Amino acid sequence: MQWQNKLPLIAILRGITPAEAHDHVAAVIEAGFEAVEIPLNSPEWRTSIPAMVKAFGDKALIGAGTVLKPELVDELAQMGCRLIVTPNIQPEVIRRAVGYGMSVCPGCATATEAFNAIDAGAQALKIFPSSAFGTDYIKALKAVLPPEIPVFAVGGVTPQNLAQWLQAGCIGAGLGGDLYRAGQPLSRTVEQAEAFVKAYREAVQ
């Protein structure tokens, strides 16, 4: 996915169930999100992900997170998944996903991991967990990374501090617990999705 002229925020719906998925995914897309990740440690993801691809694949990049093995990429490709997010650098996962034409955003912490991911074909990077490293760390890492590689902050990003991560050089962020926690009411998802979109637009205007 080319993030230019897009809303570079990824909704991470960890723990969502098939029964809840449609309403919550619809809510974040309605708020303006264009990328949604259902992590593979969510209940019955093999039901949720293909259903969301079918329902919303023409409106947003629907994908999977916490993808740890290449064979899972094969399975997700068959479901029509278009986004692969990982918490770590597993070069074969990245290569497999790129081979399917998917957008890949692997998680890294160090310059070595970042360049290993880029060498494997990653089109974007997520710095995880961002809150443990801070904005100064990201600024330093960005100084050595290719400028065309988008960097996302993931972990500890809130509507209140989103602008700080953007100022540090991140193009956007992956939003987990402050956007969605398993079992929360739909009204909370709507409220937080709108708050994140508003915070992003105010930060970049």
Side-chain angles (χ1 to χ4, degrees), residues 34-118:
E34 296 170 298
V36 179
E37 165 198 339
I38 296 178
L40 298 191
N41 54 1
S42 302
E44 300 178 67
W45 61 267
R46 287 181 172 88
T47 300
S48 297
I49 290 176
M52 295 307 96
V53 168
K54 183 177 181 181
F56 301 107
D58 60 337
K59 299 181 180 69
L61 200 64
I62 305 296
T66 319
V67 181
L68 303 177
K69 297 180 180 180
E71 52 268 30
L72 288 169
V73 179
D74 298 333
E75 188 176 351
L76 291 160
Q78 292 172 355
M79 294 177 180
C81 218
R82 293 171 52 221
L83 172 67
I84 296 292
V85 183
T86 76
N88 65 333
I89 301 305
Q90 166 53 270
E92 186 51 36
V93 167
I94 297 170
R95 284 191 286 265
R96 194 76 58 93
V98 170
Y100 283 117
M102 295 168 159
S103 294
V104 190
C105 189
C108 64
T110 66
T112 297
E113 292 175 341
F115 281 101
N116 285 345
I118 293 167

Side-chain angles (χ1 to χ4, degrees), residues 11-200:
I12 304 170
L13 305 183
R14 188 179 307 280
I16 201 154
T17 67
E20 302 167 306
H22 188 281
D23 288 349
H24 288 264
V25 173
V28 298
I29 292 174
E30 178 67 24
F33 279 74
E34 296 170 298
V36 179
E37 165 198 339
I38 296 178
L40 298 191
N41 54 1
S42 302
E44 300 178 67
W45 61 267
R46 287 181 172 88
T47 300
S48 297
I49 290 176
M52 295 307 96
V53 168
K54 183 177 181 181
F56 301 107
D58 60 337
K59 299 181 180 69
L61 200 64
I62 305 296
T66 319
V67 181
L68 303 177
K69 297 180 180 180
E71 52 268 30
L72 288 169
V73 179
D74 298 333
E75 188 176 351
L76 291 160
Q78 292 172 355
M79 294 177 180
C81 218
R82 293 171 52 221
L83 172 67
I84 296 292
V85 183
T86 76
N88 65 333
I89 301 305
Q90 166 53 270
E92 186 51 36
V93 167
I94 297 170
R95 284 191 286 265
R96 194 76 58 93
V98 170
Y100 283 117
M102 295 168 159
S103 294
V104 190
C105 189
C108 64
T110 66
T112 297
E113 292 175 341
F115 281 101
N116 285 345
I118 293 167
D119 287 346
Q123 310 102 328
L125 299 170
K126 79 174 197 184
I127 308 303
F128 175 79
S130 290
S131 57
F133 296 103
T135 54
D136 286 346
Y137 182 86
I138 288 179
K139 287 178 186 175
L141 192 59
K142 279 283 294 179
V144 299
L145 293 177
E148 69 274 13
I149 299 291
V151 171
F152 290 79
V154 181
V157 181
T158 69
Q160 291 72 35
N161 68 26
L162 175 60
Q164 298 171 24
W165 301 106
L166 301 178
Q167 290 163 7
C170 295
I171 192 174
L175 309 168
D178 216 71
L179 172 66
Y180 176 82
R181 292 185 186 274
Q184 77 180 21
L186 180 62
S187 59
R188 171 70 177 172
T189 303
V190 171
E191 176 186 357
Q192 289 303 97
E194 291 176 348
F196 272 113
V197 172
K198 181 173 183 283
Y200 175 79

